Amino acid sequence: MSPTTRSGRRRLTLRQRVTVLCVVVGGLLTVLAGSAAVVADANRTHIDNLLNRVGPLRANAESLLAVMVDQETGIRGYAVSGDPAELATYEAGVARERELLDLMTGLAKGTGDVEVQLEAVAAQSERWRQQVAVPVVEAVGTEGTAAAQTLLDDQARAQFEGLRTATDELQVEILSVRNEVADDARRTSNTLVALLIVAAVVVLMAGAALVMSLNRLVIGPVTGLAAQVRRVANGEYQRDIEGVGPPELAALASDIDGMRRKIAADLAEVRDARERIEWVNAQLQKQTEELVRSNRDLEQFAYVASHDLQEPLRKVASFCQLLQRRYAGQLDARADQYIAFAVDGAQRMQRLINDLLAFSRIGRMTSGFTDVDLNKVMSDVASQTEPSREYAGGELIWSQLPVVVGEEPLLTNLLVNLVSNSFKFRRPQVPPRVEITARRVDDEWEISCQDNGIGIEPEFADKIFVIFQRLHSKDAYPGTGIGLAIGKKIVEYHGGRIWVDPQVDEGTAIRFTLPVAQEQAGQPGAAAADGPSADGQDAKASSVDGAETKASSAVRGADKETVS
């Protein structure tokens, strides 16, 4: 429904007013453009006639007179000397005259008097040739030059002068036509300029009207509306916003005022909610502090309890071992079995406590993060896992590994646990092979420990990282079941994540991420060797083979060249 004024008259919206102005101006400019197109076409026609018809006609008329003079000169020279060269000049002039007449006839079509005068010149030229030139040529050939000279009398000269006069009249007619065409071109050009001036005036007037309308209907009302909005923004939320100007701005002012009322109501609710949130935050802060204190006490309790349990366990284990050594074979077989169970249980409890103690220390006893060279770490890992590697006859391989940010002792412990598990959970009669690789993924290094062992079923991929969770009995594979839980805590302490990759054809692939060192952060193209590279560059790889002797088995193939 169209808006109306208080008197009931229909008010035009801003869009309607601009539309009416554009339609009026567009109609005027369309009429002017159509008129200018017609005038420009006429002007182009006049200029085309002037340049391509009248101009060539005038030049050809001058050439025609010169050709006729050449013919007359050639005839006179031939009558005097009988020289064929003079006759050739005449004949060339005749040929050239016919070419010019044909060309001028085509250009003179539709020019009226010029066309008639051109026909008169052509007819008179032909009469001069038939009455003067041809008889002279024939007289020279039959009677000689003396007889031919008698034909070139005053009458012949008068006849040629008449031809010259007709040619001059032709040039006068052509000049008259040229002046008329030039006047027409000049007039149409002036008309076209006048139309362009009128169009420019219309555009300027339309622009002025648009600017005045915008100032009265848009800029002024918007400025007043903005001033009211600023007062509201400064805190006067209870101040009403009045609508002024065209219907669109009045509607906008009404919407803003509605938004102001909604904001005022929301602010009242926010004040109440803020008070409630502050109270809740205070309670949460107290609970957080209590939780931190409780966690700290629990960690301290776990550490103290684990440490204090060591002494009685050592006594139990020591005395059980003394009983085993002193009374072995003196009691019955069942007594020996019971003593062996007690010794094994005490030793296993010691290992559990030690592992639990190590688990509780992660992140609590720290030396700070530094740049850690994983190649150096792997050398330590190879040394620490050498006994199990030699026993299994296994092989440990690592490519060029990166420098990461972390704690070197914790990362060494992590990799020792992973490599030890790979040697432990091997397939029967198959020498274990463990490979450590790395690749750059955005701002992290993804480290992979892959072996050719018994593998892990996908449904147990998360269970193996839970503390004291085992997938096999302790008789089949010894251990406490806390190694991978320690590894997970170390990785999460470094801000990374660890998981089992199920997309492997053989064995197990455990991957984890570590942050990139600071000097490498701006080098997205840097990547550690992870299989064959695109450019085929060679890189050093270190491998360890448990089949070698202890003296030479620390790092087998340290200088071996591999494709990284």
Side-chain angles (χ1 to χ4, degrees):
M1 184 175 179
S2 302
T4 57
T5 61
R6 293 180 180 178
S7 60
R9 290 181 302 174
R10 182 175 178 273
R11 295 177 61 190
L12 290 178
T13 65
L14 179 62
R15 176 179 295 178
Q16 291 172 336
R17 297 183 187 191
V18 173
T19 301
V20 170
L21 178 62
C22 291
V23 169
V24 173
V25 174
L28 290 175
L29 291 179
T30 301
V31 173
L32 291 174
S35 302
V38 173
V39 174
D41 183 69
N43 180 259
R44 183 184 59 80
T45 301
H46 294 324
I47 293 176
D48 181 70
N49 289 334
L50 183 64
L51 297 178
N52 298 328
R53 296 185 63 186
V54 179
L57 268 176
R58 187 177 181 188
N60 291 336
E62 294 177 356
S63 299
L64 181 63
L65 178 60
V67 167
M68 291 178 177
V69 171
D70 290 341
Q71 293 180 45
E72 197 268 343
T73 302
I75 285 298
R76 287 187 176 278
Y78 184 64
V80 173
S81 62
D83 187 357
E86 299 292 344
L87 181 61
T89 300
Y90 162 73
E91 292 175 348
V94 172
R96 176 61 179 160
E97 177 187 347
R98 289 172 179 170
E99 292 177 2
L100 291 173
L101 288 175
D102 291 340
L103 181 61
M104 294 175 69
T105 300
L107 295 174
K109 286 183 179 180
T111 56
D113 295 339
V114 173
E115 189 174 7
V116 172
Q117 186 63 31
L118 181 62
E119 292 176 354
V121 169
Q124 190 164 351
S125 174
E126 185 63 26
R127 285 196 301 273
W128 175 79
R129 278 193 294 275
Q130 296 298 329
Q131 295 176 6
V132 177
V134 173
V136 169
V137 172
E138 292 176 350
V140 171
T142 57
E143 301 177 12
T145 58
Q149 292 178 11
T150 60
L151 297 176
L152 297 174
D153 51 9
D154 293 339
Q155 184 178 358
R157 284 193 293 272
Q159 193 170 0
F160 186 78
E161 288 298 328
L163 177 60
R164 185 193 297 270
T165 301
T167 304
D168 291 340
E169 292 176 355
L170 174 63
Q171 291 182 347
V172 170
E173 291 294 337
I174 292 173
L175 181 61
S176 176
V177 170
R178 176 196 173 280
N179 292 334
E180 292 178 1
V181 172
D183 291 340
D184 291 339
R186 191 178 299 108
R187 184 178 64 257
T188 54
S189 296
N190 294 335
T191 303
L192 183 61
V193 171
L195 290 174
L196 293 176
I197 293 174
V198 172
V201 171
V202 170
V203 171
L204 291 176
M205 292 179 63
L210 182 61
V211 169
M212 293 174 62
S213 299
L214 289 176
N215 185 58
R216 186 172 66 88
L217 298 175
V218 178
I219 298 176
V222 167
T223 303
L225 180 61
Q228 297 182 71
V229 171
R230 279 194 294 271
R231 284 194 291 269
V232 172
N234 290 331
E236 301 180 22
Y237 299 111
Q238 304 304 322
R239 180 186 181 88
D240 293 334
I241 295 179
E242 300 178 356
V244 293
E248 292 93 336
L249 290 180
L252 177 61
S254 176
D255 293 340
I256 294 176
D257 190 60
M259 182 173 63
R260 177 198 60 78
R261 290 192 295 270
K262 181 68 168 56
I263 291 174
D266 291 342
L267 282 176
E269 295 179 2
V270 167
R271 292 190 187 97
D272 296 337
R274 184 172 59 186
E275 293 177 357
R276 292 193 299 270
I277 290 173
E278 289 176 353
W279 181 84
V280 171
N281 286 338
Q283 298 300 317
L284 287 176
Q285 182 66 26
K286 294 179 181 179
Q287 294 179 5
T288 301
E289 293 174 355
E290 181 66 22
L291 183 60
V292 170
R293 185 192 61 77
S294 176
N295 286 338
R296 185 170 59 249
D297 292 344
L298 285 175
E299 290 179 357
Q300 185 66 24
F301 172 78
Y303 174 76
V304 172
S306 300
H307 186 272
D308 291 345
L309 285 175
Q310 295 285 347
E311 181 59 26
L313 275 176
R314 279 196 296 268
K315 287 183 179 181
V316 172
S318 298
F319 281 105
C320 287
Q321 289 171 355
L322 287 174
L323 287 173
Q324 188 178 39
R325 288 196 298 269
R326 176 169 296 185
Y327 297 104
Q330 298 180 21
L331 304 175
D332 57 7
R334 179 161 296 186
D336 292 340
Q337 185 181 19
Y338 290 163
I339 293 174
F341 286 161
V343 171
D344 180 68
Q347 292 176 345
R348 191 159 172 268
M349 179 62 75
Q350 281 185 321
R351 290 194 297 270
L352 285 172
I353 291 174
N354 288 332
D355 289 343
L356 184 61
L357 191 60
F359 185 82
S360 67
R361 286 174 176 172
I362 296 174
R364 188 166 58 88
M365 300 178 64
T366 176
S367 60
F369 283 8
T370 58
D371 291 346
V372 180
D373 185 357
L374 292 185
N375 294 288
K376 179 179 179 298
V377 170
M378 282 306 302
S379 298
D380 297 338
V381 171
S383 177
Q384 294 183 33
T385 59
E386 182 177 1
S388 60
R389 185 178 65 252
E390 289 184 352
Y391 175 78
E395 183 180 13
L396 175 60
I397 299 174
W398 67 91
S399 304
Q400 283 187 338
L401 300 179
V403 175
V404 298
V405 177
E407 292 191 25
E408 184 172 342
L410 294 180
L411 295 178
T412 303
N413 189 9
L414 167 65
L415 289 169
V416 165
N417 282 335
L418 295 179
V419 173
S420 298
N421 281 348
S422 296
F423 287 139
K424 180 193 302 183
F425 298 99
R426 61 185 181 275
R427 290 183 293 169
Q429 308 302 323
V430 177
R433 184 178 186 274
V434 184
E435 183 175 4
I436 308 296
T437 58
R439 69 188 182 100
R440 175 78 173 268
V441 180
D442 297 332
D443 291 334
E444 293 180 325
W445 285 110
E446 182 182 294
I447 316 298
S448 174
C449 176
Q450 185 167 357
D451 58 46
N452 60 345
I454 62 175
I456 299 174
E457 296 297 330
E459 59 266 26
F460 302 121
D462 294 329
K463 183 178 179 181
I464 63 174
F465 296 108
V466 180
I467 189 170
F468 296 136
Q469 291 293 322
R470 299 175 56 91
L471 303 183
H472 307 278
S473 66
K474 63 183 181 64
D475 296 331
Y477 296 99
T480 60
I482 197 174
L484 289 179
I486 291 176
K488 180 181 180 183
K489 190 171 183 181
I490 291 174
V491 171
E492 292 177 347
Y493 172 67
H494 285 79
R497 52 195 175 88
I498 186 169
W499 70 96
V500 176
D501 187 356
Q503 306 296 328
V504 291
D505 298 330
E506 180 185 42
T508 302
I510 296 181
R511 309 186 191 281
F512 60 92
T513 60
L514 293 173
V516 175
Q518 187 65 32
E519 61 271 12
Q520 298 175 343
Q523 304 174 6
D530 188 8
S533 65
D535 56 3
Q537 292 181 347
D538 293 338
K540 293 286 185 179
S542 299
S543 65
V544 181
D545 192 346
E548 299 184 11
T549 62
K550 188 173 182 179
S552 60
S553 64
V555 179
R556 182 178 66 84
D559 296 329
K560 177 182 176 182
E561 294 290 331
T562 62
V563 178
S564 62

